[in-house]
Structures are given as C-alpha cells and as structure tokens.
Amino acid sequence: MLLDAVFFLVRAGLDLFWWAVLLAAIMQTLLSFNVLDGRNRIVWTIADFLYRLTEPALRRVRGLLPNMGGIDLSPLVVLLLITAATIAVTAIQGYLLRSGLYF
C-alpha cells in the first residue's frame, strides 16, 4: 500500500513536469513571436515560473544536442525522456506486482 502511494507520487510528479515543459515551450514560442507581451506582469510571472522550473533539465539536454541554428529541440527530447521514465516506473511497478514483492 505504501509502494502504491510512492508510485502514484512519482508518476504524478512526472506528469506535472511533462505539462510544465510543454507549457514552457509554448510560452517561449508565443513570446518570441510577440503574440504575448513579455512586459505584462502576469505573463512575465508565468513565463519566469515555467523558465525556472524547466530550465535545469532543458539546459542539460541543450548541452548534449548539436547546434541546429534557431531550432530548439530540447523540449521535445525532455518530453520523450519523461515519457520513457513514466513507462519505466509503470514497468517496475508491474514487475514488482507480478513477482509478489508487494501486493
């Protein structure tokens, strides 16, 4: 029962971070095309929050990716890594259930 809560919290955290990366990428795109005004206090606060939340993961991936000019593929790579981690967590939980290590 405790492990169910742990697996739920891990998957929920990964899901929330997935959405944060997606929203940060959309927000950055809208700001770069001047669809949203970065001088607006609410827009700036939301963009700054998403930037601070996602930038550590995106910065690591940007360091590994080759320079593609003006295209930033790091959010896509991070989203794929989060999805892979979610699948791995679900597989680990299934393996533990099947092996009888917890019920």
Side-chain angles (χ1 to χ4, degrees):
M1 203 138 169
L2 178 66
L3 283 177
D4 285 335
V6 170
F7 282 117
F8 172 77
L9 289 175
V10 169
R11 277 197 305 269
L14 287 170
D15 286 342
L16 287 173
F17 191 62
W18 191 90
W19 282 106
V21 170
L22 183 66
L23 289 174
I26 291 170
M27 180 73 79
Q28 189 61 35
T29 303
L30 292 176
L31 285 171
S32 66
F33 284 113
N34 290 325
V35 174
L36 293 176
D37 185 15
R39 296 173 298 193
N40 185 333
R41 187 71 176 161
I42 295 172
V43 171
W44 182 83
T45 303
I46 293 170
D48 186 54
F49 171 73
L50 290 172
Y51 176 82
R52 289 174 187 247
L53 187 65
T54 59
E55 186 57 26
L58 294 174
R59 188 180 320 120
R60 289 186 186 137
V61 172
R62 278 188 201 115
L64 299 174
L65 292 177
N67 188 3
M68 304 269 303
I71 300 173
D72 184 17
L73 295 178
S74 59
L76 177 65
V77 173
V78 170
L79 289 176
L80 290 173
L81 290 173
I82 293 169
T83 303
T86 303
I87 293 170
V89 166
T90 304
I92 291 170
Q93 184 181 17
Y95 173 76
L96 289 175
L97 279 170
R98 283 190 303 275
S99 66
L101 293 176
Y102 89 96
F103 357 100

